[in-house]
Amino acid sequence: MENVVVKELILKPDVTGMRLDIFVAGAKVDLTRSQAQRLIEAGLVLVGGLPRKANYKLRPGDEISLTVPEAEPPKAEPQNIPLDILYEDAEVIVINKPPGLVVHPAAGNYDGTLVNALLYHCGKLSSIGGDFRPGIVHRIDKDTSGVIVAAKTDRAHTALAAGFKRHEHSREYLAVVVGNPKDTEATVTVSIGRHITDRKKMSAVTFRGRTATTHYKVLERYGSAALLSLRLATGRTHQIRVHMAHIGLPLAGDRTYGGPNAGKLLGMKVPRQMLHARMLGFRHPATGEYMEFTAEIPPDMARLLDFLRNKKN
């Protein structure tokens, strides 16, 4: 990040009492008022070393400091990154995404993403997602592995997006959870929205949640852990991770929603949340044919399952 630090003693009568966002926008760092407000909301503007709200009224002696992030690059660029391709034609491409690969460029991850790899391999993707998300119809988290489809043409993108919105697709995930589920099969229906205090997280305890439903089935039990098959009736951000944590079955390795002990399970280190998009089914955007693709679990998840099975025995 580029650190642009502004330090001024607020002594002038015409500045005292001014809103913080208005002052920041006029601080000669080429920011609009809306940009200034976003910096303030992100905690990048400090008054006397402390974050303040946009409507904070400046006082004599206040010292203001702000950090302005680097400007975003104009668009995603092609990069030669290996892909595990499950299917490809002129309209779509289906990938088995490895854990650790970010789906599309964003703040802090402008390259090395699935989009960069797809642009190199395909040459061109659907333009509907814009410069940073070309071809991206849906996404899975960086540390979640498994099947994801991307659109090569605008026609394919529009048709796939409509199918996802109408819930015409099929999705199955595999997850290792900490705890022993009471029921062999169950459904979790709990609204999900932004966390009340941590805006980077989602939560089942929120002011403006959207209804979310997850169906799960226990495939294997290991005493203090279990392997679940999960199917989504909705597609909210972090839905499986939030729902499982909400019912006391956090995903193994999920440090965001599983707490400080999520990194170890029965003494074995778990490097990421153990969530794998095993199956994705959808209607082909050109032919209307239903197509279904599956991906084997990645090596790190396979090692954890072998460890749990051996511990059980």
Side-chain angles (χ1 to χ4, degrees):
M1 298 178 74
E2 176 190 357
N3 292 334
V4 180
V5 180
V6 179
K7 292 184 178 180
E8 295 188 19
L9 292 178
I10 310 305
L11 298 174
K12 299 178 182 179
D14 60 336
V15 175
T16 300
M18 181 183 292
R19 284 174 56 109
L20 178 61
D21 56 348
I22 296 176
F23 172 80
V24 171
K28 297 182 181 180
V29 288
D30 297 323
L31 294 174
T32 65
R33 185 172 174 183
S34 61
Q35 290 172 329
Q37 289 172 339
R38 286 196 292 271
L39 286 181
I40 293 168
E41 290 172 359
L44 298 178
V45 178
L46 305 179
V47 180
L50 298 174
R52 299 287 186 179
K53 293 184 177 180
N55 62 358
Y56 173 82
K57 300 296 180 62
L58 297 176
R59 303 170 183 174
D62 278 346
E63 188 176 84
I64 316 298
S65 64
L66 60 140
T67 301
V68 182
E70 292 178 346
E72 294 183 347
K75 63 179 181 178
E77 298 293 339
Q79 288 181 290
N80 187 5
I81 300 169
L83 291 172
D84 182 1
I85 301 172
L86 302 177
Y87 175 83
E88 182 180 9
D89 62 22
E91 299 287 338
V92 300
I93 181 169
V94 182
I95 302 295
N96 177 20
K97 187 188 84 67
L101 181 65
V102 176
V103 170
H104 59 76
N109 288 287
Y110 291 129
D111 57 15
T113 73
L114 178 61
V115 161
N116 299 109
L118 289 172
L119 285 171
Y120 182 90
H121 175 81
C122 301
K124 186 177 181 181
L125 297 168
S126 161
S127 63
I128 293 177
D131 289 337
F132 286 125
R133 302 185 184 186
I136 299 304
V137 182
H138 69 120
R139 59 180 294 277
I140 52 180
D141 293 337
K142 171 186 175 182
D143 288 330
T144 297
S145 56
V147 188
I148 182 171
V149 61
K152 289 186 173 184
T153 67
D154 288 357
R155 176 180 72 170
H157 194 129
T158 300
L160 287 171
F164 272 78
K165 187 174 182 179
R166 294 192 297 264
H167 307 297
E168 294 175 349
H169 57 285
S170 302
R171 283 185 288 181
E172 182 201 11
Y173 290 78
L174 297 179
V176 179
V177 299
V178 180
N180 198 338
K182 177 182 176 182
D183 301 309
T184 301
E185 295 185 47
T187 296
V188 183
T189 300
V190 178
S191 295
I192 293 176
R194 287 290 169 188
H195 193 281
I196 296 173
T197 57
D198 188 344
R199 306 303 292 173
K200 294 181 180 180
K201 293 173 60 176
M202 307 302 289
S203 175
V205 181
T206 182
F207 293 125
R208 296 182 180 178
R210 300 175 67 190
T211 300
T213 299
T214 303
H215 307 286
Y216 75 81
K217 179 180 180 180
V218 179
L219 300 180
E220 298 179 18
R221 295 180 185 270
Y222 314 108
S224 60
L227 174 65
L228 305 185
S229 167
L230 306 105
R231 291 182 179 266
L232 303 179
T234 53
R236 311 303 180 209
T237 301
H238 297 177
Q239 179 173 321
I240 289 174
R241 299 167 64 190
V242 172
H243 272 177
M244 292 301 101
H246 181 71
I247 64 173
L249 298 169
L251 270 59
D254 191 345
R255 291 162 176 78
T256 300
Y257 298 104
N261 298 321
K264 281 191 176 182
L265 185 57
L266 296 178
M268 182 176 183
K269 185 177 180 180
V270 185
R272 64 173 180 98
Q273 71 253 13
M274 286 292 113
L275 184 61
H276 176 66
R278 192 194 77 85
M279 183 274 289
L280 174 66
F282 57 88
R283 294 198 176 278
H284 192 279
T287 68
E289 176 189 0
Y290 179 77
M291 308 176 75
E292 195 169 281
F293 303 93
T294 60
E296 295 296 320
I297 59 174
D300 60 348
M301 193 170 184
R303 286 192 296 270
L304 177 62
L305 290 174
D306 287 342
F307 172 81
L308 293 172
R309 288 163 184 154
N310 291 333
K311 278 279 188 178
K312 180 181 177 183
N313 296 329

